Amino acid sequence: MKLITDPNTLANLSHDEAEWAPAGTPHAAFRPESSEDVQEAVRHCAANEIPIVPRGAGTGLSGGANAVDGCLVLDLSRMSGIVEIDQDNLLAVVQPGVVNDDLKKAVAAQGLWYPPDPASSPWSTIGGNVATNAGGLCCLKYGVTRDYVLGLEAVMGGPVPYGTAVRLGRRTTKGVAGYDLTSLLVGSEGTLGVITEVTVRLRPAPRPPATVVGAFDSLVTAGRAVALATARGLQPAALELIDRACLQAVEDWKHLGIDPTTEAMLLAQADTAADADGLTTAFTDAGAVWTERSTDSAEAEALFAARRLTYPALERLGPLLTEDVCVPRSAIPAMLGRIVEIGARHGVRIATIAHAGDGNLHPLLITPPGDDTARIAAQAAFEDIISAALELGGTVTGEHGVGLLKRDGMIRELGPAAHAVHQAVKHTLDPLNLFNPGKA
């Protein structure tokens, strides 16, 4: 059934995983199976002034897929076809509902690799990844989603009649014809149109990397190790930070045998022996309690599985408000120190994971269920973390997107002139304010 009006189903489709982000009540939901279905839905909504909120798997953490009252939720999960894998030209064409890991497996069977790997890759969809310009564990060396989107098809309005399918971008490795409208839509969070097809760049499958692990007696010391590795010009494929609270939550849930004395851990993957050696030395020089290096792929996968499990492990403890700030890599130790101070000042329990190699930190604010006082304190701490990131020359969101939770912070970061330009783009491409109104 494509059109959904059942209240219980609509309630499940009306929000993503952002804690406490407001969500309205949709008029209905629609599950298109083709671009033509999306075109028809957009034309109907434009004619009847019905807002459209596109939705992928609902794994977002900013409220970007949350419904507004009276909207049509476009659930794109049924558009899950891999249209083409082109080995000769290292590209794939996919529908937006394809799950990230499913694409990875399909291209790996042909000796190819799709690098973007958000921690939600087993569940999140390519359309959602494109809408938020998702990052991931290996984006430090290999780039984020935008770096792999060659072209796309989007159902748009404004300069063209609402419901028109517009093809943007190209299939070639190089191309500079016209404005880069493809990159404009990547990260636009569904506010400029509905993405119905994506052409992505692929790479040859990489050699198995070496894994370097460092254990530290404090969060700030681990941050110094990251800054030192960066200063020495090392290029790990991934460099992840996990603090004591995250490690304990994963251990309590999955019993992986994690050392209970470790206050912070760095997990790195390196494609070259020189980088692996350099990371081992940098961790030691920065004050690691111990470091280990491994080329065992099973062991490496187990370690990075612990990293991916941190969010669901912490969710078991209570409502979780997830931050997504990014600071210059040299400012990581200072930002980690600010997070500790903010948590203590507000009396909020904060666990921290991070794509530490590129300065993208995810403080996770944990509150007891049903405790309004704790919720208010957590929201205040959330805003203070945003302010601290901006003061250190950072940004309010590295990969999760603006959605609803970061709108005020985004305006502060952009400043009046740049914000006016953003508003002009939105008004030109969506004069009816039909697509995901109130977001980004």
Side-chain angles (χ1 to χ4, degrees), residues 11-395:
N12 290 331
L13 294 174
S14 67
H15 61 87
D16 63 15
E17 294 186 6
E19 194 66 44
W20 303 318
T25 302
H27 174 69
F30 183 60
R31 288 186 171 133
E33 297 177 359
S34 66
S35 178
E36 290 75 17
D37 283 348
V38 175
Q39 291 175 260
E40 182 181 353
V42 171
R43 283 193 290 265
H44 174 81
C45 289
N48 293 278
E49 299 183 349
I50 299 171
I52 295 171
V53 177
R55 173 189 172 88
T59 60
L61 293 166
S62 67
N66 284 18
V68 297
D69 287 338
C71 76
L72 177 71
V73 172
L74 268 184
D75 176 4
L76 298 162
S77 59
R78 288 187 180 177
M79 294 180 65
S80 57
I82 297 176
V83 178
E84 177 187 1
I85 298 174
D86 185 339
Q87 288 181 281
D88 293 334
N89 293 301
L90 295 177
L91 63 84
V93 180
V94 303
Q95 292 183 310
V98 173
V99 172
N100 183 294
D101 272 6
D102 289 346
L103 175 60
K104 288 183 183 294
K105 292 172 186 174
V107 302
Q110 300 191 31
L112 302 172
W113 181 38
Y114 177 64
D117 62 338
S120 60
S121 63
W123 315 283
S124 62
T125 60
I126 297 299
N129 292 171
V130 171
T132 58
N133 190 26
L137 277 64
C138 74
C139 66
L140 170 60
K141 184 171 183 177
Y142 292 104
V144 296
T145 298
R146 178 177 282 116
D147 300 307
Y148 292 88
V149 179
L150 288 168
L152 51 81
E153 177 189 82
V155 177
M156 303 179 70
V160 295
Y162 276 90
T164 302
V166 181
R167 287 198 168 270
L168 305 170
R170 61 194 191 279
R171 292 172 64 101
T172 55
T173 302
K174 296 170 67 177
V176 292
Y179 297 126
D180 189 358
L181 299 180
T182 302
S183 290
L184 177 63
L185 262 69
V186 177
S188 64
E189 300 185 39
T191 61
L192 303 178
V194 181
I195 295 169
T196 52
E197 187 178 274
V198 187
T199 301
V200 297
R201 188 194 314 270
L202 304 175
R203 286 176 171 265
R207 293 178 298 176
T211 299
V212 180
V213 184
F216 298 85
D217 58 9
S218 80
L219 196 59
V220 174
T221 303
R224 293 193 187 110
V226 175
L228 183 60
T230 299
R232 290 179 177 178
L234 301 174
Q235 289 189 303
L239 180 52
E240 298 291 301
L241 180 146
I242 314 175
D243 77 355
R244 173 71 249 153
C246 295
L247 292 168
Q248 191 61 55
V250 172
E251 179 62 19
D252 291 344
W253 184 25
K254 295 295 184 180
H255 307 294
L256 301 178
I258 297 170
D259 185 349
T261 65
T262 300
E263 287 299 319
M265 181 180 288
L266 290 177
L267 300 177
Q269 288 188 328
D271 294 333
T272 69
D275 279 332
D277 290 342
L279 288 164
T280 302
T281 302
F283 289 1
T284 302
D285 290 350
V289 177
W290 54 262
T291 60
E292 288 186 6
R293 177 179 167 184
S294 173
T295 56
D296 184 290
S297 59
E299 183 178 43
E301 181 56 35
L303 287 167
F304 277 86
R307 161 63 181 85
R308 294 182 188 277
L309 286 169
T310 51
Y311 189 82
L314 287 163
E315 276 189 312
R316 298 169 67 246
L317 305 180
L320 203 62
L321 186 58
T322 306
E323 264 287 12
D324 171 42
V325 293
C326 193
V327 297
R329 286 176 288 188
S330 60
I332 291 173
M335 187 65 210
L336 289 170
R338 296 284 289 273
I339 291 168
V340 172
E341 182 274 322
I342 289 167
R345 175 157 44 86
H346 288 280
V348 175
R349 183 181 178 189
I350 300 179
T352 300
I353 52 177
H355 307 305
D358 54 21
N360 190 186
L361 283 69
H362 298 316
L364 308 169
L365 291 76
I366 308 164
T367 59
D371 189 330
D372 283 344
T373 300
R375 173 183 59 79
I376 293 169
Q379 289 172 320
F382 184 89
E383 295 301 325
D384 281 359
I385 290 171
I386 289 174
S387 296
L390 292 176
E391 289 167 10
L392 291 170
T395 178

